[in-house]
């Protein structure tokens, strides 16, 4: 698998990362290097093997349905660059 | 009768599938301990997990899993003992993490079915493709400021069930019946309150059109329709639009659209080519969810009786028509009310009073069954007076109206107004004799073969006795004399 410049551009846009046209060849080379390295896994025959999702055998932990958190608006808004009263604000988004 | 739309080039049928987002009833959110309750001051039902702070980890709410399984069982669906959580990536201001945790490749619930009944009595089965758990997003407010949108994350992270139907729906009516049935099942199960006005149940509607016998054509998705009536309108409007596009030689593009009820049209919502590229991948913070069959069995044993089962039992146990039974099981509270009235009494008569006079009274007064001005015990008390012939059916109507107004018991009203039925045959015989004497001409006609006049005589006698005579005795007395 190999990515062409158009695909690299598209991936960047989906991730909302602005890139310069002049950076494309380098990024294309790096991404293709990563993909090529990962593709070595295709050499392993995994026919009939259950997919492994982690190294531990732990089951997913769950919690009881009780309210133990929240009511910490100051902390929640602490990093908001432009909070107004109890709200975050962002540049107007209307579709 | 199948539903079709007529175009210039012939007859079209419509194909509809629904994705319903149902908000799970729980105390806390799907992956955080913040409150999941409605309302609350802005951004107070929010934890650092919901706000997407770095390093925060999601921990799954056990009860939300139970709710999803209960719903799956209620939809007669397969429960997947192993399911997984994936990240659905997109950027929006009310989604702080930049991804929604959802279940993409391995949902907790697989194929099921919902039985719907149409106005003409036709029964159809709509397939369920899957049900999966996911997080709700926050709320954006665009009308608070000229240049900014305000964000409230109270809803962010609340558990949703997305219930996806097969494209089995063929008319707006079927879509409406499906949504009503789904809502009924969710309410019976107590897994979602089904309140579409408050947004706790919303539908995305997939619509395409085709000529008879064709494979499916391209569909459009109408997002976030928030009432059953709008869903039905949107389907018709969108199908009509698509027919016009095809008939003008065009192509329908697969896209997301918005229904505007004020203009009765759908509009393209996201023309962005990337709209559907969510780059799903397994959430590395969450292991696969494995549930034990024993737990599923335990949840199943604890399920309430579901509406279809209750309807069938009502028909069998109470001998009432299927239609009446369907009406009575529409809400659990109505079914409970009915059973209380019917217990140990004439169950058909009870059904008639509940679906007739009581529903009429609730409609008129704008009340629900929960705050009915006449309790089930009170209505039962009135039926008892009819059963022991203290009052007849006509007087019962009067007593019922009085109960509605005053809240008094039927027995008190009968005493207060002196409505006790006259069963004294002497008094009835006297009234009969009087009526016949005053209508000698009609008596002659009756004896001459005009049988229909019998009803007239009954009416006159009842009138003479202010409606309080026992109709059976009046009939008998008249027959004897005539």
């Amino acid at each position: 698998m190999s990515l062409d410049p158009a695909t690299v551009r598209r991936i960047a846009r989906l991730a909302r990362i602005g890139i310069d046209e002049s950076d494309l060849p380098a990024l294309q080379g790096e991404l293709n290097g990563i993909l090529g390295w990962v593709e070595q896994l295709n050499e392993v025959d995994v026919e009939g093997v259950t997919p492994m999702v982690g190294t531990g055998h732990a089951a997913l932990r769950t919690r009881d349905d009780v309210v133990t958190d929240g009511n910490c608006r100051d902390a929640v808004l602490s990093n908001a660059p432009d909070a107004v009263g109890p709200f975050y604000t962002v540049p107007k988004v209307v579709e | 009768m199948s539903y079709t739309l007529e175009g210039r080039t012939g007859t079209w049928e419509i194909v509809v599938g629904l994705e319903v987002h149902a908000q799970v009833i729980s105390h806390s959110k799907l992956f955080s301990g913040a409150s999941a309750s409605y309302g609350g001051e802005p951004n107070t039902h929010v934890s650092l997990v919901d706000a997407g702070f770095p390093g925060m980890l999601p921990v799954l709410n056990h009860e939300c899993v139970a709710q999803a399984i209960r719903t799956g069982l209620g939809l007669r669906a397969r429960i997947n003992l192993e399911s997984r959580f994936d990240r659905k990536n997109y950027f929006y201001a009310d989604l702080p993490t930049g991804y929604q945790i959802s279940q993409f490749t391995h949902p907790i619930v697989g194929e099921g079915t919902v039985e719907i009944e149409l106005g003409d009595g036709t029964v159809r089965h709509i397939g369920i493709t899957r049900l999966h758990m996911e997080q709700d997003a926050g709320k954006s407010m665009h009308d608070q400021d000229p240049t900014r949108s305000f964000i409230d994350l109270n809803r962010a992270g609340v558990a949703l069930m997305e219930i996806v139907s097969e494209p089995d729906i063929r008319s707006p009516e079927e879509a409406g019946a499906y949504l009503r049935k789904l809502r009924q099942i969710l309410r019976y199960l107590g897994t979602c309150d089904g309140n579409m006005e408050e947004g706790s149940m919303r539908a995305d509607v997939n619509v395409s059109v085709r000529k008879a016998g064709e494979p499916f054509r391209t569909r459009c998705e109408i997002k976030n329709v928030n009432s059953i009536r709008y869903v039905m309108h949107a389907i018709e409007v969108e199908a009509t639009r698509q027919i016009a596009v095809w008939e003008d030689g065009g192509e329908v593009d697969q896209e997301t659209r918005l229904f505007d009820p004020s203009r009765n049209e759908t509009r393209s919502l996201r023309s962005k080519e990337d709209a559907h590229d969510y780059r799903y991948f397994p959430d590395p913070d969450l292991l696969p969810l494995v549930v034990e069959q024993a737990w599923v069995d335990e949840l199943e044993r604890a399920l309430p009786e579901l509406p279809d089962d209750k309807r069938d039992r009502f028909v069998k146990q109470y001998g009432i028509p299927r239609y009446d039974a369907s009406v009575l099981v529409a809400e659990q509270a109505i079914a409970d009310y009915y059973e209380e009235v019917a217990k140990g009494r004439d169950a058909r008569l009870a059904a008639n009073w509940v679906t007739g006079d009581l529903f009429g009274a609730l409609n008129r007064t704008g009340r629900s069954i929960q705050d009915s001005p006449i309790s089930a015990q009170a209505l039962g008390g009135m039926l008892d007076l009819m059963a022991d012939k203290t009052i007849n059916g006509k007087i019962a109507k009067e007593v019922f109206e009085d109960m509605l107004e005053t809240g008094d018991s039927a027995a008190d009203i009968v005493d207060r107004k002196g409505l006790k039925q006259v069963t004294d045959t002497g008094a009835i015989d006297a009234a009969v004799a009087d009526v016949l004497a005053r209508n000698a001409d009609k008596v002659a006609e009756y004896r001459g073969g005009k049988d229909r006049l019998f009803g007239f005589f009954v009416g006159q006698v009842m009138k003479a006795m202010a409606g309080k005579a026992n109709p059976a005795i009046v009939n008998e007395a008249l027959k004897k004399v005539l």
Side-chain angles (χ1 to χ4, degrees), chain A residues 21-34:
Chain A
E21 240 357 76
S22 61
D23 291 334
L24 269 181
L27 281 168
Q28 184 186 357
E30 283 176 23
L31 286 171
N32 280 329
I34 294 167

Side-chain angles (χ1 to χ4, degrees), chain A residues 12 19 64-65 75:
Chain A
I19 54 168
D64 289 340
D65 181 29

